[in-house]
Amino acid sequence: MVCGGFVCTKNALSALNVVYVMVGLLLIGVAAWGKWFGLVSSISVVAGVIGVGVFLLLVAFVGLCGALKHQQVLLFFYMVILFIVFVLQFSISCACLALNTDQQNKLLEVGWNKSEVTKKDVEKTLNCCGFSSVVYNSSCPAQCYTTPQTCDPCSSILQKYASEVLRFVGSIGLFFSFTEILGVWLTHKYRNLKDPRSNPGAFL
């Protein structure tokens, strides 16, 4: 059977969802690993990553069930959810790639002031104190704070990595957003194909 037929489309859609399952499990595993070994102490960050992984797993399982059973309702909801995720992810990815240095600094400062736990994690990991300046009368977990004069503010260090991280996140997001629109196209095509192994009335 030529690619583009019922079986080929079914296999392609199933394979795409298997990839989504692996990515979801990877996200959950990395978040749990980071929490277990103390690399990330912020519960909100860990919960957010695990939540994204669980959501991706649920969407992938809906897609897999719909593809294997050729279930029209599941395929329809899967297609709608995947399209919404594509729009959101594509927009966020483009925003990550379009941010200039000033916008990156403002975003970093907002994130810095939002969570005290994340702030301590950054100070300890990057060996820095404060965001734009070192505050000498504060409690800083960084090793350099034993001699505060040798400490640097975290903004200058974060800025070195911000552009690279945003570029990496934006590129990965764009890549997966195109796999999502591919999934939408495959699902739409698959819904309108008749199963050659079933009777003609089974599609209706």
Side-chain angles (χ1 to χ4, degrees):
M1 180 177 291
V2 296
C3 192
F6 182 87
V7 175
C8 184
T9 307
K10 175 182 178 179
N11 291 340
L13 189 58
S14 300
L16 182 64
N17 283 285
V18 169
V19 172
Y20 287 157
V21 168
M22 291 190 293
V23 173
L25 291 174
L26 180 64
L27 287 173
I28 295 172
V30 168
W33 178 79
K35 180 62 179 174
W36 180 265
F37 286 96
L39 300 177
V40 181
S41 58
S42 175
I43 297 297
S44 59
V45 172
V46 174
V49 176
I50 291 177
V52 171
V54 171
F55 174 77
L56 189 57
L57 278 177
L58 291 175
V59 173
F61 281 131
V62 170
L64 268 176
C65 291
L68 295 175
K69 297 181 179 181
H70 199 224
Q71 223 288 336
Q72 296 292 310
V73 176
L74 286 178
L75 288 171
F76 173 78
F77 281 108
Y78 172 75
M79 183 173 62
V80 171
I81 293 171
L82 207 61
F83 181 75
I84 294 172
V85 172
F86 161 75
V87 172
L88 292 174
Q89 188 168 317
F90 184 79
S91 303
I92 293 172
S93 300
C94 291
C96 287
L97 295 173
L99 286 175
N100 57 38
T101 303
D102 292 336
Q103 292 170 330
Q104 290 174 16
N105 280 327
K106 290 179 181 178
L107 187 63
L108 288 171
E109 190 169 5
V110 169
W112 179 268
N113 294 325
K114 194 170 184 179
S115 172
E116 192 68 27
V117 176
T118 303
K119 184 188 302 185
K120 297 301 180 185
D121 282 342
V122 172
E123 289 177 332
K124 184 178 179 180
T125 304
L126 299 182
N127 197 28
C128 59
C129 288
F131 183 75
S132 56
S133 61
V134 179
V135 181
Y136 295 107
N137 60 352
S138 66
S139 58
C140 178
Q143 186 177 358
C144 69
Y145 200 65
T146 54
T147 53
Q149 290 76 12
T150 62
C151 279
D152 294 320
C154 294
S155 61
S156 57
I157 301 175
L158 286 170
Q159 187 58 49
K160 294 177 183 178
Y161 300 103
S163 297
E164 295 179 7
V165 170
L166 287 172
R167 194 178 303 116
F168 175 77
V169 171
S171 301
I172 293 295
L174 279 180
F175 171 77
F176 276 101
S177 66
F178 285 116
T179 67
E180 288 156 5
I181 202 65
L182 173 63
V184 171
W185 176 75
L186 283 173
T187 306
H188 179 266
K189 181 178 181 181
Y190 184 58
R191 288 185 74 240
N192 292 288
L193 290 173
K194 290 187 179 182
D195 188 347
R197 295 168 297 182
S198 64
N199 59 71
F203 180 75
L204 299 176

